[in-house]
């Protein structure tokens, strides 16, 4: 955070308040995600349903922050790092809202999965969940502390989650091929894993915005990704 | 605490690192496209008012058919620099200039330069609209007449008309050409002053806070006009309004305490300035 302050104090307060609320919203999404994953792993239908309901809270925060951003743009005409901060806020809020949606989807499927037969491999969801929560937690930390290095580390680490997703994908295909009775539950797990993997991608998008916010440029080069062939059944 | 910090920064200017030695951003001569020669090349410009130094070794290239905005807090030297470009500082007692400013290859501070002719090539529009206490027509015709730019009444009518058209004022004043220029609204008066500057066919138009006495609508009209004029003229504008600099200019120079701190593409200056002082100024954190 900058030590120098705006001549107009309320401008500082408004910028600060947007930042604070984004961190709050991020915390809410983190908790929602954690609960959704726990609901899957522990087969807890009630917890799954709760995370789904909690999504409206995240949506409300998004609207609230968006409005604050629009007001600030109209009234202050931010420039330079202030401008980047406001633009990043607008984008990060949108991304967080979608993370919330995915957490809610996972919650919904946790409800259905809890009523289905037990399937092997559910532990992988726990591992993916841990990874994605670390990514989201770190990227929110990077945002809160304006730390581009930490943001870059999230940006790079997402490929581990991609790899885990790819191998889990193959595992599920095998399980379904072995016993068609697994198909229903495995499909749920597949979508859950896909949702978690997407949240990891969103974490990298937030990381890019943090990088831009602090340094004025996006991270250089292409984001490291898992190789394509990983998704074929034969391998 | 804030004030203490500020005081410290002023004293140990070195805490800004590169800021104090070399301005950040485009180095002179490297300004976009080596193929286009700069209209004005300023090198090592120092200006003193008596014993007080107002400008310190200013190097800037001003590109043709672009709007260059000079910004910075009051007393930073931006208006002083602007006035160097058509030697308006010559008329100030105790003002001393050193360094060089070259306009299209010609040193405008050379002995052989005819200052009156220079000021016809490099016109100026001031902060407060200052039409002569004469008719709209005479305000525009005055310059061409003393410079012998129109040989007949019909010629002069044509010059007045085109100048007013280019200044976006013709439609509003064509039926009142012989009424006093001072009877127009503030925004119209400023456009009349721009028409007056254009009438002598300048190459460069200098504008010193041209909108600071105008309401937002009149300001918007002038800004729109500045953008149109750029096709035919090179424009240098001093403004206190950083948003205005962002809106109208292609390049921005930030001055502080008589030094050029940063010079670069306007887009870059307002989204990602390199110097901390530029950033603090344009974001409203200065002081």
């Amino acid at each position: 955070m900058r030590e120098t302050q705006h001549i107009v104090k309320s401008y500082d307060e408004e910028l600060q308040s947007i930042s604070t609320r984004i961190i709050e919203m991020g915390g809410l999404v983190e908790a929602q995600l954690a609960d959704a994953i726990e609901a899957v792993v522990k087969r807890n239908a009630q917890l799954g349903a709760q995370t789904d309901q909690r999504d409206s809270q995240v949506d409300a925060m998004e609207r609230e922050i968006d409005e604050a951003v629009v007001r600030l743009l109209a009234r202050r005409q931010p420039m330079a790092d202030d401008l980047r901060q406001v633009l990043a806020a607008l984008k990060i809020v949108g991304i967080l809202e979608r993370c919330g949606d995915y957490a809610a989807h996972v919650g919904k499927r946790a409800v259905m999965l809890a009523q289905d037969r037990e399937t092997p491999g559910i532990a992988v969801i726990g591992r993916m969940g841990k990874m994605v929560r670390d990514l989201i937690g770190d990227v929110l930390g990077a945002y809160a502390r304006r730390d581009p290095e930490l943001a870059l580390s999230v940006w790079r680490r997402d490929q581990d989650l991609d790899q885990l997703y790819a191998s889990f994908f193959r595992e599920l295909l095998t399980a379904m091929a072995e016993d068609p009775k697994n198909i229903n539950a495995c499909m749920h797990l597949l979508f859950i894993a896909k949702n978690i993997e997407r949240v990891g991608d969103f974490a990298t998008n937030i990381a890019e915005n943090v990088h831009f916010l602090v340094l004025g440029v996006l991270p250089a080069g292409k984001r490291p990704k898992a190789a394509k062939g990983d998704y074929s059944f034969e391998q | 605490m804030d004030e203490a910090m500020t005081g410290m920064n002023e004293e140990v200017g070195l805490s800004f690192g590169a800021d104090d030695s070399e301005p950040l951003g485009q180095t002179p001569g490297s300004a976009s496209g080596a193929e286009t020669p700069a209209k004005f090349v300023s090198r090592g410009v120092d200006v003193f008012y008596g014993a007080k130094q107002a400008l310190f070794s200013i190097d800037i290239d001003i590109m043709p058919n672009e709007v260059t905005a000079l910004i910075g807090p009051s007393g930073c030297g931006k208006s002083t620099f602007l006035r160097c470009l058509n030697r308006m500082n010559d008329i100030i007692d105790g003002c001393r200039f050193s360094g060089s400013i070259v306009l299209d290859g010609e040193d405008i501070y050379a002995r052989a330069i005819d200052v009156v002719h220079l000021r016809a090539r490099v016109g100026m529009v001031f902060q407060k609209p200052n039409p002569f206490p004469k008719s709209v027509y005479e305000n525009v015709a005055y310059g061409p007449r003393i410079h012998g730019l129109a040989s007949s009444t019909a010629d002069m009518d044509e010059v007045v008309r085109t100048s007013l058209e280019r200044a976006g004022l013709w439609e509003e004043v064509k039926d009142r050409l012989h009424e006093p220029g001072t009877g127009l609204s503030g925004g119209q008066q400023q456009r009349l002053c721009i028409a007056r500057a254009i009438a002598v066919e300048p190459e460069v138009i200098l504008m010193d806070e041209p909108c600071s006495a105008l309401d937002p609508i009149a300001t918007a009209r002038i800004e729109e006009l500045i953008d149109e004029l750029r096709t035919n003229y090179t424009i240098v504008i001093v403004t206190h309004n950083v948003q205005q600099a962002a809106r109208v200019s292609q390049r921005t120079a930030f001055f502080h305490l008589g030094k050029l701190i940063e010079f670069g593409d306007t887009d870059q200056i307002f989204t990602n300035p390199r110097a901390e002082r530029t950033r603090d100024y344009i974001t409203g954190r200065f002081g």
Side-chain angles (χ1 to χ4, degrees):
Chain A
M1 282 281 158
R2 304 264 308 271
E3 317 85 51
T4 44
Q5 291 175 340
H6 287 98
I7 296 163
V8 180
K9 279 204 193 69
S10 54
Y11 187 6
D12 274 328
E13 288 159 13
E14 285 167 28
L15 279 171
Q16 187 54 52
S17 137
I18 287 174
S19 256
T20 311
R21 277 189 280 175
I22 286 182
I23 295 163
E24 263 175 53
M25 182 179 173
L28 211 59
V29 170
E30 246 183 317
Q32 196 189 5
L33 204 58
D35 285 354
I37 288 158
E38 192 184 326
V40 174
V41 177
K42 301 243 169 91
R43 304 176 58 84
N44 183 339
Q46 202 193 344
L47 189 59
Q50 272 171 18
T51 46
D52 187 19
Q53 284 153 15
R54 206 193 287 169
D55 198 37
S56 58
Q57 237 178 303
V58 173
D59 291 352
M61 281 207 89
E62 184 202 20
R63 272 195 302 277
E64 200 187 303
I65 298 169
D66 276 355
E67 281 165 16
V69 165
V70 169
R71 268 199 307 276
L72 188 137
L73 281 171
R75 293 178 54 199
R76 310 287 185 194
Q77 292 99 42
M79 288 286 192
D81 51 341
D82 297 336
L83 176 62
R84 301 202 304 268
Q85 191 177 323
V86 172
L87 289 179
L90 203 56
K91 288 186 166 185
I92 290 173
V93 163
I95 299 169
L96 282 177
E97 189 274 331
R98 283 159 73 196
C99 289
D101 284 350
Y102 279 112
H105 289 168
V106 172
K108 255 186 227 164
R109 289 194 189 273
V111 176
M112 296 183 267
L113 206 55
Q115 289 145 14
D116 213 315
R117 68 196 314 224
E118 279 198 51
T119 38
I122 214 160
V124 180
I125 296 291
R127 268 160 61 209
M128 286 184 75
K130 165 91 173 64
M131 269 183 173
V132 83
R133 280 164 51 201
D134 284 350
L135 291 176
I136 288 283
D138 280 355
V139 86
L140 288 171
Y143 174 75
R145 295 193 293 279
R146 304 291 192 257
D147 181 347
E149 285 308 312
L150 186 56
L152 268 183
S153 116
V154 170
W155 193 65
R156 296 201 183 97
R157 266 154 50 209
D158 175 56
Q159 63 173 331
D160 301 340
L161 180 59
D162 290 350
Q163 260 156 20
L164 186 55
Y165 168 68
S167 72
F168 188 48
F169 182 91
R170 292 195 299 273
E171 216 176 290
L172 288 172
L173 286 186
T174 312
M176 287 189 277
E178 275 170 11
D179 183 356
K181 287 198 210 75
N182 282 333
I183 288 177
N184 201 40
C186 283
M187 284 309 291
H188 283 313
L189 285 178
L190 185 57
F191 277 110
I192 288 167
K194 180 69 197 167
N195 286 342
I196 294 174
E197 186 269 334
R198 287 296 292 145
V199 173
D201 290 344
F202 287 147
T204 69
N205 296 149
I206 296 175
E208 285 165 1
N209 278 291
V210 171
H211 198 273
F212 171 77
L213 185 171
V214 183
L215 301 173
V217 286
L218 292 170
K222 280 204 144 185
R223 182 159 62 87
K225 281 179 184 163
K228 268 205 172 135
D230 291 353
Y231 293 93
S232 83
F233 184 35
E234 277 75 31
Q235 283 189 351
Chain B
M1 174 65 184
D2 272 349
E3 273 166 40
M5 286 296 293
T6 314
M8 271 175 65
N9 284 342
E10 297 296 337
E11 269 176 40
V12 271
L14 284 176
S15 64
F16 286 112
D19 287 11
D20 278 277
S21 45
E22 289 292 321
L24 292 173
Q26 289 162 357
T27 46
S30 75
S32 84
E35 64 282 358
T36 323
K39 188 75 184 165
F40 272 114
V41 176
S42 154
R43 289 292 177 274
V45 168
D46 291 329
V47 171
F48 296 84
Y49 292 123
K52 189 185 183 304
Q53 187 163 2
L55 287 178
F56 296 82
S57 192
I58 305 298
D59 296 349
I60 289 190
D61 288 359
I62 290 176
M63 301 307 286
N65 302 103
E66 280 193 359
V67 179
T68 302
L70 312 180
I71 60 168
S74 299
C76 70
K78 58 192 189 300
S79 291
T80 299
F81 182 73
L82 186 80
R83 288 197 297 265
C84 288
L85 298 175
N86 68 350
R87 296 185 54 174
M88 291 291 277
N89 287 329
D90 289 13
I91 55 178
I92 296 172
D93 276 343
C95 181
R96 193 157 55 78
F97 173 96
S98 70
S100 83
I101 294 181
V102 172
L103 170 61
D104 285 337
E106 199 180 1
D107 185 348
I108 63 168
Y109 282 84
R111 263 172 209 284
I113 286 287
D114 172 1
V115 177
V116 174
H117 179 63
L118 170 70
R119 290 184 194 144
R121 289 176 70 191
V122 185
M124 190 145 188
V125 175
F126 297 89
Q127 183 168 359
K128 260 186 86 183
N130 56 352
F132 305 135
K134 287 176 179 294
S135 70
V136 170
Y137 185 97
E138 277 308 312
N139 262 281
V140 183
Y142 180 80
R145 188 171 295 130
I146 62 162
H147 287 286
L149 294 177
S151 52
S152 65
T153 318
D155 264 8
M156 186 59 87
D157 289 352
E158 190 52 31
V159 168
V160 170
R161 183 191 169 119
T162 28
S163 305
L164 286 168
E165 275 172 354
R166 284 197 178 167
L169 190 59
W170 175 253
E171 285 304 318
E172 292 161 61
V173 298
K174 63 182 176 190
D175 299 324
R176 45 201 285 210
L177 288 177
H178 299 288
E179 290 172 25
T182 47
L184 302 176
S185 74
Q188 288 172 328
Q189 286 187 23
Q190 196 60 306
R191 279 179 283 149
L192 178 61
C193 293
I194 291 171
R196 187 175 65 187
I198 291 171
V200 293
E201 294 168 21
E203 296 154 43
V204 182
I205 304 174
L206 309 179
M207 299 185 170
D208 195 351
E209 293 276 352
C211 301
S212 62
L214 305 182
D215 70 40
I217 301 294
T219 298
R221 288 227 170 85
I222 301 279
E223 288 180 2
E224 170 65 13
L225 179 59
I226 289 171
D227 200 48
E228 286 166 19
L229 292 173
R230 174 161 81 85
T231 350
N232 296 308
Y233 310 97
T234 300
I235 295 170
V236 186
I237 179 172
V238 160
T239 176
H240 270 123
N241 181 332
V242 290
Q243 271 84 16
Q244 178 170 63
R247 287 191 300 261
V248 302
S249 71
Q250 282 70 52
R251 255 176 254 263
T252 298
F254 171 64
F255 286 76
H256 183 226
L257 300 174
K259 290 176 185 158
L260 178 65
I261 305 300
E262 185 166 358
F263 180 48
D265 287 342
T266 297
D267 293 345
Q268 174 253 316
I269 297 274
F270 288 99
T271 56
N272 197 9
R274 301 205 177 101
E276 188 147 342
R277 267 185 285 183
T278 315
R279 196 169 61 167
D280 284 352
Y281 180 69
I282 64 175
T283 57
R285 286 182 166 96
F286 222 78

